[in-house]
Amino acid sequence: MTQANLQAGSVAKTLRDSAAMRWTALLLLALAMFCSYIFMDILSPIKDLMQDTRGWDSTAFGTMQGSEVFLNVFVFFLIIAGIILDKMGVRFTAVLSAVVMLIGACVKWYAVSDAFIGSSLETWFNNNLNYIPLFDELGVSPFYQGMPASAKFAACGFMIFGCGCEMAGITVSRGIVKWFKGREMALAMGSEMALARLGVATCMIFSPFFARLGGHVSVSRSVAFGVVLMCIALIMTIVYFFMDQKLDSQTGEAEEKDDPFKVSDIGKILSDAGFWIVALLCVLYYSAIFPFQKYAVNMLQCNLTLTAPEEGTFWASSSVTIFQYIIMLIVAAAGFASNFQKSKNRQFTLLGISILALITYCYMGYMRQSAESIFAVFPLLAVLITPILGSYLDHHGKAASMLIIGSLLLIACHMTFAFVLPAFKGNAVGGIIIAYATILVLGASFSLVPASLWPSVPKLVDSKVIGSAYALIFWIQNIGLWLFPLLIGKVLDATNPDVTDPTQFDYTAPLVMLACLGVAALVLGFVLKAVDKKKGLGLEEPNIKA
């Protein structure tokens, strides 16, 4: 009895049982993903500058952006990453993923730097990789004849980065399971994604800021900013390494690992209807969001009437960027913290501060007449509501219903961008209001997916093959993340054959294509709900049982 009590006391003292330590571990992982999200879209808000300074048309830009997941899809590196995670555990894989991302980031930085121009490496890339046997025949080559050398080399770096980024994604998910199993699982996953997505907003604000700093355009400065952040991500994972090691020494357990990926598991997984529904929902929904982010700023430049503020004014200064980012952090911090207040007065006070700061941020974006700062509101509503959704799912369920709502919002937003926003071109105020509202709703719809889809996977797939199922789902998702940036670029060039000004493209066709992905996701959402009702999978039930 005494020994049992001592054991219980020792268990109570582990890092995992301390809410502060548990959430600190989550914060370290989330900050690493925050930095990776910034680098992932570091060139997205300066697509126009890439065309002007490096000669990247939409096809070159889209091909380079899609290259991020090329090795994950066609060389099956994502499966290899899953095996590494199984064999080596969360700690080692987290640090390894950060190192790989940093290497890829450095390669991409050199590719867009002035030092690359005129170098022997540029000559080599101009003369080579214009034809890749088999991949060209299949139409999936990451390069093509006439692709700028800088875009080819940047694509190589982005492939390496993508291997580390996806490895980090599955590692972070596994780390959250380890620290939050039996606790606030959906809330933790939703919170991690909310913080990580602030990286999108940070990228949209600071990438153009560094590119135009000092009145001289240099796209390599933006990428260098991302490289510095990847160094910070590496530091975060190293700190997590020691925290996680301490936890294992306290519990006396070896690292928790999934069952290793087995080829024999594939048949069992592929014959599972639940797996296909989840995998297809995942690829459809994520393909309608992440590739869109890479073109969103340019889409706004093409559909809004923006007049640059007068030189010498506060709104044209570089300091306004810092002020606007501070206000953004207030929006995110106050809104996020409001979800965790027990006092209603304190909760509504923080919520009010968040809303007022959001209005102030939007006003500053309007005064700056900046497409990138307008799109930067994308994750802000998600940061506010994701913890609410995660907590609701933990306690009340309704995951399948949330996926349906998310799909409806996704369709509405892309159709608004395609047909309503262009109708307001020439209306400086109305167009920006429509843009802000649509972007905020799109961000909110995106928060519905990770909060509801990922915690539902164990309910749909046999627990014996859950690790293998996650690996296959991520692999299928990466097919969409490779294909659709490339498709958007090709469709954009095909529907705008004579357009040379990168701010005058017609984005209707690509946006309708993305809306169609939402329609397919909506149909699958209803199928999922019907399967859940028929088989009693428990998708509409809460994660935390009373």
Side-chain angles (χ1 to χ4, degrees), residues 283-525:
V283 71
L284 289 168
Y285 206 92
Y286 278 68
S287 296
I289 296 287
F290 283 123
F292 170 72
Q293 285 178 190
K294 300 181 186 303
Y295 291 86
V297 171
N298 187 234
M299 183 275 295
L300 292 176
Q301 291 170 337
C302 296
N303 286 313
L304 293 176
T305 302
L306 300 171
T307 305
E310 187 178 340
E311 288 294 329
T313 64
F314 170 72
W315 301 111
S317 68
S318 58
S319 58
V320 70
T321 302
I322 309 299
F323 280 108
Q324 195 174 19
Y325 189 64
I326 290 171
I327 291 171
M328 174 193 293
L329 292 179
I330 294 172
V331 175
F336 190 78
S338 69
N339 293 289
F340 302 92
Q341 303 303 313
K342 294 180 180 179
S343 166
K344 289 292 182 184
N345 288 336
R346 191 177 300 170
Q347 182 182 28
F348 287 121
T349 298
L350 286 170
L351 193 58
I353 291 171
S354 181
I355 292 171
L356 286 173
L358 178 60
I359 293 170
T360 303
Y361 175 90
C362 292
Y363 172 74
M364 293 183 76
Y366 166 73
M367 293 301 293
R368 288 185 66 191
Q369 294 286 288
S370 162
E372 52 268 21
S373 67
I374 290 171
F375 186 71
V377 301
F378 174 68
L380 294 186
L381 192 58
V383 172
L384 175 62
I385 70 170
T386 298
I388 299 173
L389 295 172
S391 181
Y392 185 87
L393 280 164
D394 281 334
H395 294 92
H396 303 286
K398 305 296 182 185
S401 299
M402 284 193 179
L403 288 169
I404 290 172
I405 294 170
S407 299
L408 286 169
L409 293 176
L410 177 69
I411 297 164
C413 288
H414 281 314
M415 294 302 281
T416 299
F417 284 135
F419 298 107
V420 178
L421 189 61
F424 280 81
K425 190 165 186 177
N427 186 331
V429 178
I432 289 179
I433 290 174
I434 294 291
Y436 270 134
T438 310
I439 293 165
L440 283 167
V441 172
L442 184 65
S445 78
F446 195 22
S447 68
L448 290 164
V449 175
S452 53
L453 183 62
W454 298 120
S456 299
V457 173
K459 299 178 181 179
L460 290 162
V461 180
D462 188 339
S463 61
K464 293 180 181 179
V465 294
I466 189 68
S468 304
Y470 268 122
L472 280 172
I473 289 171
F474 274 103
W475 180 74
I476 293 170
Q477 171 190 317
N478 272 247
I479 294 174
L481 300 185
W482 159 76
L483 177 63
F484 281 93
L486 187 150
L487 277 181
I488 293 172
K490 287 183 177 294
V491 170
L492 208 52
D493 278 339
T495 53
N496 297 271
D498 301 318
V499 178
T500 56
D501 184 345
T503 63
Q504 298 300 318
F505 290 122
D506 180 354
Y507 267 85
T508 304
L511 289 167
V512 170
M513 178 177 69
L514 296 177
C516 289
L517 294 178
V519 172
L522 177 63
V523 172
L524 276 176

Side-chain angles (χ1 to χ4, degrees), residues 34-54:
F34 169 83
C35 294
S36 71
Y37 267 55
I38 293 175
F39 193 85
M40 191 186 301
D41 282 316
I42 200 72
L43 294 182
S44 300
I46 53 173
K47 177 181 180 291
D48 56 326
L49 299 182
M50 296 309 299
Q51 181 163 339
D52 292 339
T53 64
R54 294 295 184 269

Side-chain angles (χ1 to χ4, degrees), residues 80 89 92 110 144 157 207 228 237 239 259 279 312 333 357 370 387 401 405 429 451 486 489-490 506 515:
I80 297 170
F92 174 86
Y110 182 71
Y144 60 88
S207 179
V228 171
T237 58
V239 175
D259 291 332
S370 162
S401 299
I405 294 170
V429 178
L486 187 150
K490 287 183 177 294
D506 180 354

